[in-house]
Amino acid sequence: MWSTVPMSQDGACPGDLVPQDVKCPRVQLGQEFPRVAFRGHIRSLPKLMEITRPSLASHGNHKENSPFLNSSEAGKGGDYYDRNLALFEEELDIRPKVSSLLGKLVNYTNLTQGVKEHEEAESTDGSKKKVSKSPSMGTLMGVYLPCMQNIFGVILFLRLTWMVGMAGVLQSFLIVLLCCCCTMLTTISMSAIATNGVVPAGGSYFMISRSLGPEFGGAVGLCFYLGTTFAGAMYILGAIEILLTYIVPQAAIFHPSDAHDASSAMLNNMRVYGTVFLILMAVVVFVGVKYVNKFASLFLACVVISILSIYAGAIKSIFDPPEFPICMLGNRTLSRDQFDVCAKTVVKDNMTVASKLWELFCHSTNLTTEHCDEYFLMNNVSEIAGIPGAASGILIDNLWSNYLEKGEILERAHQPSVDVAGQKNNLHLYVLSDITTSFMVLVGIFFPSVTGIMAGSNRSGDLKDAQKSIPVGTILAIVTTSLVYFSCVLLFGACIEGVVLRDKFGDAVNRNLVVGTLSWPSPWVIVIGSFFSTCGAGLQSLTGAPRLLQAIAKDNIIPFLWIFGHGKANGEPTWALLLTALIAELGILIASLDMVAPILSMFFLMCYLFVNLACAVQTLLRTPNWRPRFKYYHWALSFLGMSICLALMFISSWYYALVAMLIAGMIYKYIEYQGAEKEWGDGIRGLSLSAARYALLRLEEGPPHTKNWRPQLLVLLKLDEDLHVKYPRLLTFASQLKAGKGLTIIGSVIQGNFLETYGEAQAAEQTIKNMMEIEKVKGFCQVVVANKVREGIAHLIQSCGLGGMKHNTVVLGWPYGWRQSEDPRSWKTFIGTVRCTTAAHLALLVPKNVSFYPSNHERYNEGNIDVWWIVHDGGMLMLLPFLLKQHKVWRKCKMRIFTVAQMDDNSIQMKKDLATFLYQLRIEAEVEVVEMHNSDISAYTYERTLMMEQRSQMLRQMRLTKTEREREAQLVKDRHSIARLESLYSDEEDEADPVPENIQMTWTKEKCDAEKRNRGSAVGSFRDLITIKPNQSNVRRMHTAVKLNEVIVNRSHDARLVLLNMPGPPKNTDGDENYMEFLEVLTEGLERVLLVRGGGREVITIYS
């Protein structure tokens, strides 16, 4: 990438590499070029003697958003173009040289969140830029140890022994196996995603959002954020439990008023101390993350030492088990912290006196039994070893589960006892179960102890080789922690008595931490170590969660979170930290570790589920960019991991699972509703493309059945000179007809040369898209540039759509003002389009007086939609009013259907048949048959036809005059003439060939005589107009139009909308102008008319 070649003494560059006036910079011998980050690797460029690049300064460490060169750099001809690339020099501003591209990419820097991006503060003030610190962490320090620290946590020390006691060794193995398989499969998926290109800081959120799109990314990112925040609350609650239960119980503020109030007092203490701890930790995080990171190794050391002490204690218990006796009354376990001697009586001064235990059960210091608890009298007090040791064979007793209901006394299965009822007011003397336990409850409580696998990916910006370190380090961490959990389950079951295992708070062993009783050399090793490790984990959560929220806010996919993207000058997320502390306070107020753990389990499981989904989707789609360096993944493993995540969610707590999914769904729909304008090349877009391709190929198998037919619209829009939509109500009508369903394509034609008017076409397309958004038309836009408008329309009709998703109906605007215009191109384009649609077997809708059509905000509370069914053309006339009535504008209108009866028709029978037909179609409408018996042609009809033909003949003659020819030439010459304004459906016709503005003629005698003859014939033609006789065919057509118009106006003059069959254009093109006149006469006096022409196939059926 960097070349070293000799230089001349004056510093000029050799040869033809750069222009002669450019000096090449020197790098002194032995000078080290700054390190730069390239795709996660650290490359230190060699010590260079001399460098030929003239723009070395621009390849330093300044911030570059895009690896491509901008246009300003392209302007520096001497610095930029090489003679060897002269063939490409005109495009070098958008297609840079490979060397320039690599020079930009090599400066890609990947800093962790919370650090100033590329030292922005230094670069903006013009001072010299600092060289950013290169990522340098390896697999051990960057991934393995952080994952270990995050995975090992409060559950291992406070709840694992209790879980083994309740579930038994076998079911505990199953719980650990389920949770570890979930995280291992998720790690495999995460490794594939993490090694598929550069993963910036942001970790799991970045991976999911860039793989599944902004909607999923935002939803899962916020779930992961909430999970991390509640994890902080859980760690704080764990630290407070250790503090108040095992270290300084005297520090409790609230004390139980009676024996049964102990639980609520403890919860209140947790709330107060938890809030204080939360505030202190938030202040520490606010002051500086560096202090948290400095103590991270200390906290990890506490975890490692604590675990090692458990193994040491288990080994020691084989030959020298620790002394932790348990006092049993019958088979019931007594709470040891309320008495010292485990006996009913004691010998004091050679006298047998009542012990403290007797006083508690009999409420007397005398050895009287009248007030004693019956169970106390009938059963013996015995003392057994709490830690029998690994060689005792206690493992057999602990293999099976022993789930308890809330308030149930802990009993030893094989201990002899007399089963009699005791006094309820003495229950506080026994060790009780504080919650109802089951396999599902234990899964929810244990799962947080396997989370933390994202710690490596979250630090990807600090890693020397992220694509290698993340998979290796994370998988090794999971294997290590899984082995520790499995071995701990086995050791606890083999070394500790069952009733002690089921004793959550160590009441039976004198309020000692149960796992601490097994440790060596002292229980305090575990107590102190677990306290500091939980505090450290809480600090890590409060450090990581705000940065995650800041990353989501900076992506700007959830608008109301924008405030949390800001922070202190150095990038620290102050506002995000405040919100995190407030949410964590909610977890603190719950105050129960066992209730908070399932909540964060849900959020983490949701996150892991989508990581697996992302990997599976990308693998199955086989997108070209899916090229992970980590090869040991498979879509089946990802689906298995996803299934386990989903199963664990509902196993641990089905209602929490529903709530978590509801939250994620609401966030997803919110981002979708806001319209996330992010294109990250995500897998969901790829999935959409694959699904669309599959659906299109299925549609291609054959034409749709009549039952599935619906109008797929191609709306031909007219634009004015400023590229504004001339008749936006066409779009309104389309949206009302579609009601948001089916395909809608908005097409328009711009006249001109494509190379010259491409920008104009782009602007027109954007204008139409904006208008579509205003009118709420969901569809596509296509603007075609053509030399002739008629050709452009023909291209649209032929080529719009794709495969089976093609339009079957064309919506065409009426050519207003065609009578007043002497230019025939407007109506000729209209009739040409009608012929094109007929030839293509497409339906045609022509809304006349479209400006009077209702907007989407109007409501018709009454009125009729009248259908004039004159000829049958596939049932379009029946279907269209039904579809319009689905929209709120037309919903309350009634439908009336009129049909015409001739002389030889039975109108009564027609009405009955039509009513039956509509009943079978399931369409509610009034039916009316109109009789048209009078077939005599009136004088008005004859006169109207005569006027029409005279006008046509006159215009035809006028077009041949010299004046009109010169005007035509002027219109062609002027680009901004009225021909452009007249209509985009106008065309450059062949009737009048353009002539030059100045006509140079050499007159001869023959030419002069011919010119006189032409003028004479023109005058004669004008005289012939007076004596013209109308064509009988035109008279008949005019008669039909007049008679039908009379009947329609008479019956439907107050209708909200009139639909009637549109007659086809004449086969002989000479009668085109007369055809326009017939349509005008047919629709005169009607406010809103929709002319309908079928496509030649049935679109409605009576069959189900």
Side-chain angles (χ1 to χ4, degrees):
M1 211 159 42
W2 301 92
S3 55
T4 56
V5 296
M7 288 173 49
S8 58
Q9 294 298 321
D10 59 354
C13 296
D16 291 335
L17 292 176
V18 291
Q20 296 298 320
D21 58 342
V22 177
K23 302 292 184 182
C24 283
R26 263 178 211 280
V27 178
Q28 296 300 322
L29 207 72
Q31 180 178 346
E32 179 77 24
F33 196 81
R35 286 173 176 251
V36 286
F38 181 61
R39 286 196 173 271
H41 299 273
I42 306 305
R43 301 279 176 89
S44 179
L45 295 180
K47 297 181 179 181
L48 303 177
M49 292 179 64
E50 293 167 344
I51 296 179
T52 62
R53 291 282 300 192
S55 55
L56 178 64
S58 69
H59 286 273
N61 285 319
H62 83 235
K63 183 176 180 180
E64 199 49 78
N65 290 326
S66 169
F68 295 97
L69 301 177
N70 55 36
S71 56
S72 63
E73 289 174 299
K76 304 172 186 174
D79 294 349
Y80 189 67
Y81 301 138
D82 280 339
R83 291 182 187 175
N84 293 335
L85 297 179
L87 193 61
F88 303 94
E89 64 184 13
E90 290 187 357
E91 292 185 320
L92 280 175
D93 55 340
I94 55 173
R95 291 179 172 86
K97 291 187 293 184
V98 174
S99 58
S100 304
L101 174 65
L102 293 177
K104 301 297 179 185
L105 288 176
V106 82
N107 282 329
Y108 176 80
T109 312
N110 198 351
L111 301 177
T112 55
Q113 292 171 356
V115 180
K116 281 177 286 189
E117 294 281 329
H118 295 246
E119 303 296 328
E120 287 177 358
E122 284 77 14
S123 63
T124 52
D125 60 6
S127 60
K128 64 177 183 178
K129 301 166 188 172
K130 294 183 180 179
V131 178
S132 57
K133 184 182 177 182
S134 302
S136 58
M137 284 189 174
T139 303
L140 180 69
M141 295 300 294
V143 182
Y144 180 73
L145 292 179
C147 282
M148 291 269 289
Q149 184 180 354
N150 277 266
I151 293 172
F152 286 133
V154 64
I155 302 295
L156 169 64
F157 303 116
L158 293 184
R159 293 293 182 269
L160 189 58
T161 53
W162 172 73
M163 186 188 84
V164 174
M166 291 294 182
V169 172
L170 295 180
Q171 288 192 26
S172 297
F173 270 137
L174 181 59
I175 291 172
V176 174
L177 181 65
L178 268 175
C179 296
C180 290
C181 281
C182 175
T183 52
M184 178 60 81
L185 292 171
T186 304
T187 300
I188 291 171
S189 300
M190 182 193 74
S191 300
I193 298 172
T195 57
N196 188 48
V198 180
V199 179
S204 57
Y205 162 70
F206 182 91
M207 288 190 295
I208 295 169
S209 61
R210 269 57 176 182
S211 297
L212 289 179
E215 293 90 354
F216 275 112
V220 181
L222 278 183
C223 282
F224 191 55
Y225 162 74
L226 291 172
T228 310
T229 304
F230 274 103
M234 184 190 74
Y235 290 129
I236 292 172
L237 289 174
I240 302 303
E241 185 177 309
I242 295 168
L243 181 71
L244 294 181
T245 308
Y246 309 114
I247 300 179
V248 278
Q250 305 83 8
I253 299 172
F254 299 94
H255 299 281
S257 54
D258 55 44
H260 304 289
D261 196 32
S263 176
S264 59
M266 181 63 181
L267 293 179
N268 288 330
N269 285 321
M270 300 273 278
R271 291 182 181 110
V272 172
Y273 277 99
T275 304
V276 172
F277 265 54
L278 177 63
I279 293 170
L280 289 174
M281 288 184 179
V283 168
V284 170
V285 173
F286 177 77
V287 168
V289 183
K290 57 184 180 181
Y291 300 112
V292 179
N293 294 331
K294 280 181 180 177
F295 287 106
S297 54
L298 172 64
F299 298 140
L300 179 62
C302 291
V303 174
V304 173
I305 291 170
S306 300
I307 292 171
L308 291 176
S309 73
I310 293 174
Y311 287 115
I315 294 169
K316 178 177 175 292
S317 72
I318 297 173
F319 49 85
D320 184 18
E323 290 291 330
F324 283 99
I326 306 168
C327 191
M328 307 291 295
L329 177 59
N331 64 351
R332 297 180 180 179
T333 311
L334 294 173
S335 180
R336 195 61 188 260
D337 61 328
Q338 303 189 44
F339 58 91
D340 49 358
V341 179
C342 182
K344 292 185 178 181
T345 58
V346 292
V347 178
K348 195 173 186 180
D349 298 331
N350 293 327
M351 292 180 62
T352 302
V353 295
S355 66
K356 179 67 174 174
L357 195 60
W358 185 285
E359 291 180 21
L360 293 171
F361 276 98
C362 296
H363 311 291
S364 169
T365 55
N366 302 323
L367 292 175
T368 56
T369 60
E370 55 189 40
H371 298 295
C372 281
D373 187 302
E374 186 178 1
Y375 187 87
F376 178 75
L377 292 176
M378 299 293 290
N379 287 279
N380 294 324
V381 175
S382 58
E383 205 167 47
I384 60 172
I387 314 291
S392 64
I394 196 71
L395 178 63
I396 304 299
D397 296 335
N398 291 332
L399 281 178
W400 314 109
S401 62
N402 197 341
Y403 296 115
L404 300 174
E405 296 291 326
K406 183 178 181 179
E408 199 173 336
I409 300 171
L410 269 61
E411 297 179 348
R412 192 166 185 257
H414 305 296
Q415 191 80 3
S417 67
V418 179
D419 191 13
V420 294
Q423 296 177 3
K424 286 186 177 181
N425 58 354
N426 289 330
L427 285 176
H428 66 281
L429 301 174
Y430 301 107
V431 181
L432 305 175
S433 172
D434 65 329
I435 63 169
T436 300
T437 52
S438 66
F439 180 82
M440 295 185 289
V441 169
L442 295 182
V443 167
I445 291 174
F446 176 75
F447 188 79
S449 62
V450 295
T451 59
I453 59 173
M454 300 290 185
S457 63
N458 289 343
R459 292 166 172 256
S460 55
D462 296 332
L463 299 174
K464 185 186 298 182
D465 186 355
Q467 296 188 350
K468 177 184 175 184
S469 297
I470 289 176
V472 174
T474 310
I475 290 173
L476 281 178
I478 288 178
V479 170
T480 307
T481 53
S482 299
L483 289 174
V484 169
Y485 284 134
F486 280 121
S487 59
C488 282
V489 167
L490 188 64
L491 289 176
F492 293 158
C495 298
I496 305 177
E497 172 61 48
V499 288
V500 179
L501 287 173
R502 292 189 287 280
D503 182 7
K504 186 187 289 185
F505 300 108
D507 292 324
V509 286
N510 206 16
R511 303 291 280 185
N512 275 303
L513 182 61
V514 173
V515 69
T517 59
L518 181 63
S519 64
W520 179 86
S522 166
W524 285 100
V525 175
I526 293 276
V527 172
I528 301 299
S530 60
F531 176 75
F532 280 113
S533 69
T534 49
C535 288
L539 280 171
Q540 293 282 1
S541 297
L542 289 179
T543 304
R547 277 154 187 74
L548 183 58
L549 181 62
Q550 187 182 42
I552 298 170
K554 282 186 174 179
D555 268 343
N556 200 29
I557 56 173
I558 304 176
F560 66 82
L561 291 181
W562 66 271
I563 184 68
F564 300 109
H566 304 292
K568 292 195 287 188
N570 64 348
E572 290 294 313
T574 310
W575 291 106
L577 175 63
L578 182 62
L579 180 66
T580 303
L582 291 174
I583 296 174
E585 178 62 20
L586 297 178
I588 298 291
L589 294 177
I590 295 173
S592 171
L593 188 68
D594 303 319
M595 291 183 71
V596 173
I599 295 175
L600 65 102
S601 294
M602 288 306 120
F603 291 124
F604 279 120
L605 280 166
M606 182 81 73
C607 178
Y608 296 166
L609 185 149
F610 282 106
V611 169
N612 285 300
L613 176 64
C615 180
V617 166
Q618 298 277 32
T619 306
L620 287 175
L621 288 178
R622 295 175 184 168
T623 49
N625 191 49
W626 181 246
R627 304 184 298 274
R629 293 185 183 276
F630 181 78
K631 300 298 182 184
Y632 307 102
Y633 68 93
H634 193 270
W635 64 265
L637 292 176
S638 299
F639 268 115
L640 180 61
M642 193 171 68
S643 305
I644 293 176
C645 288
L646 194 62
L648 286 176
M649 285 176 69
F650 282 93
I651 284 173
S652 56
S653 177
W654 63 268
Y655 45 90
Y656 278 161
L658 290 178
V659 169
M661 294 171 84
L662 179 67
I663 291 173
M666 287 170 62
I667 298 167
Y668 179 96
K669 294 307 290 183
Y670 174 78
I671 297 172
E672 188 180 57
Y673 174 76
Q674 287 290 327
E677 296 177 359
K678 299 287 180 183
E679 175 53 72
W680 288 327
D682 50 87
I684 293 298
R685 293 290 175 92
L687 190 61
S688 302
L689 286 172
S690 293
R693 172 181 163 274
Y694 174 77
L696 285 170
L697 290 174
R698 286 290 304 273
L699 286 174
E700 196 73 0
E701 292 174 4
H705 191 274
T706 304
K707 290 186 288 187
N708 292 327
W709 195 95
R710 62 178 61 194
Q712 316 282 22
L713 301 183
L714 169 60
V715 184
L716 296 174
L717 274 191
K718 191 181 295 185
L719 302 180
D720 61 18
E721 191 181 33
D722 297 325
L723 300 180
H724 294 145
V725 178
K726 201 165 185 182
Y727 300 112
R729 284 295 162 87
L730 272 177
L731 291 175
T732 311
F733 171 71
S735 71
Q736 292 168 4
L737 183 62
K738 300 303 291 178
K741 308 245 181 352
L743 175 72
T744 305
I745 303 173
I746 311 299
S748 189
V749 179
I750 290 183
Q751 193 172 341
N753 183 287
F754 178 72
L755 295 176
E756 295 173 359
T757 56
Y758 174 71
E760 203 172 327
Q762 293 288 93
E765 190 170 329
Q766 192 57 49
T767 302
I768 293 174
K769 284 181 178 177
N770 294 338
M771 187 57 68
M772 288 170 68
E773 193 172 338
I774 292 170
E775 296 295 339
K776 297 181 179 175
V777 177
K778 294 186 182 296
F780 309 98
C781 173
Q782 189 161 351
V783 176
V784 170
V785 178
N787 289 327
K788 294 183 179 181
V789 174
R790 191 186 299 178
E791 289 179 2
I793 291 175
H795 293 159
L796 284 173
I797 289 173
Q798 291 177 72
S799 61
C800 274
L802 181 64
M805 283 296 284
K806 289 182 74 70
H807 56 278
N808 53 31
T809 306
V810 177
V811 179
L812 178 63
W814 181 261
Y816 300 101
W818 68 273
R819 279 174 171 166
Q820 289 74 28
S821 172
E822 295 176 355
D823 183 9
R825 288 171 297 185
S826 169
W827 55 265
K828 288 210 172 205
T829 301
F830 174 80
I831 296 175
T833 305
V834 175
R835 286 198 172 100
C836 281
T837 56
T838 306
H841 300 291
L842 302 175
L844 177 65
L845 306 179
V846 180
K848 197 161 180 279
N849 302 329
V850 73
S851 301
F852 296 111
Y853 277 51
S855 70
N856 284 325
H857 304 294
E858 295 179 46
R859 301 283 186 282
Y860 285 153
N861 294 322
E862 57 183 3
N864 299 315
I865 299 177
D866 286 357
V867 176
W868 285 85
W869 191 18
I870 299 164
V871 293
H872 180 63
D873 56 357
M876 280 283 287
L877 284 169
M878 309 292 175
L879 188 60
L880 291 174
F882 172 77
L883 294 174
L884 278 174
K885 278 168 62 67
Q886 307 303 307
H887 196 273
K888 56 191 176 184
V889 172
W890 305 92
R891 189 165 292 150
K892 294 187 178 179
C893 291
K894 293 180 180 177
M895 185 173 162
R896 297 192 302 182
I897 295 183
F898 297 89
T899 190
V900 176
Q902 301 300 324
M903 283 285 291
D904 53 349
D905 293 330
N906 185 342
S907 58
I908 298 173
Q909 188 61 40
M910 277 182 67
K911 185 171 183 178
K912 286 182 181 177
D913 294 344
L914 183 54
T916 305
F917 180 59
L918 289 177
Y919 176 78
Q920 290 174 335
L921 288 176
R922 289 92 61 202
I923 291 177
E924 294 181 7
E926 294 180 26
V927 176
E928 200 163 333
V929 177
V930 178
E931 297 180 350
M932 291 180 61
H933 293 162
N934 185 10
S935 60
D936 296 337
I937 297 174
S938 64
Y940 171 75
T941 303
Y942 192 87
E943 185 181 345
R944 188 82 184 252
T945 311
L946 181 62
M947 289 172 59
M948 174 185 73
E949 292 195 358
Q950 286 177 341
R951 180 181 180 277
S952 300
Q953 187 69 18
M954 187 187 305
L955 287 174
R956 196 174 294 119
Q957 293 298 330
M958 286 176 63
R959 285 189 208 110
L960 300 176
T961 63
K962 181 182 175 184
T963 309
E964 189 62 26
R965 288 166 65 87
E966 289 180 351
R967 185 181 301 172
E968 193 88 320
Q970 184 62 30
L971 290 175
V972 172
K973 181 173 178 287
D974 189 359
R975 286 185 60 194
H976 302 290
S977 67
I978 196 159
R980 185 71 182 275
L981 284 169
E982 189 72 355
S983 170
L984 274 177
Y985 299 130
S986 64
D987 215 344
E988 295 298 331
E989 296 296 334
D990 299 325
E991 289 93 5
D993 295 329
V995 297
E997 185 177 1
N998 298 317
I999 303 172
Q1000 301 291 337
M1001 295 183 69
T1002 304
W1003 289 95
T1004 63
K1005 189 173 187 298
E1006 291 79 9
K1007 285 185 179 180
C1008 186
D1009 293 339
E1011 181 68 18
K1012 287 179 180 178
R1013 283 197 299 272
N1014 287 339
R1015 290 184 181 181
S1017 64
V1019 174
S1021 297
F1022 282 115
R1023 288 176 185 152
D1024 291 342
L1025 291 176
I1026 304 170
T1027 60
I1028 195 172
K1029 288 186 178 181
N1031 183 292
Q1032 287 303 312
S1033 175
N1034 288 340
V1035 171
R1036 286 200 319 274
R1037 287 186 173 90
M1038 182 63 77
H1039 172 71
T1040 303
V1042 170
K1043 294 299 289 181
L1044 275 176
N1045 180 256
E1046 285 177 4
V1047 174
I1048 294 170
V1049 171
N1050 184 35
R1051 300 296 183 95
S1052 303
H1053 61 276
D1054 58 347
R1056 298 294 187 186
L1057 180 64
V1058 175
L1059 291 87
L1060 71 150
N1061 292 109
M1062 180 180 181
K1067 293 180 181 177
N1068 185 358
T1069 57
D1070 292 340
D1072 283 358
E1073 193 168 4
N1074 298 336
Y1075 172 70
M1076 293 299 298
E1077 188 69 32
F1078 296 145
L1079 292 181
E1080 285 283 10
V1081 172
L1082 184 62
T1083 56
E1084 268 181 357
L1086 298 173
E1087 187 178 14
R1088 283 179 288 269
V1089 186
L1090 180 63
L1091 295 170
V1092 180
R1093 186 163 171 75
R1097 62 161 294 172
E1098 291 292 333
V1099 300
I1100 196 165
T1101 178
I1102 63 174
Y1103 299 107
S1104 62

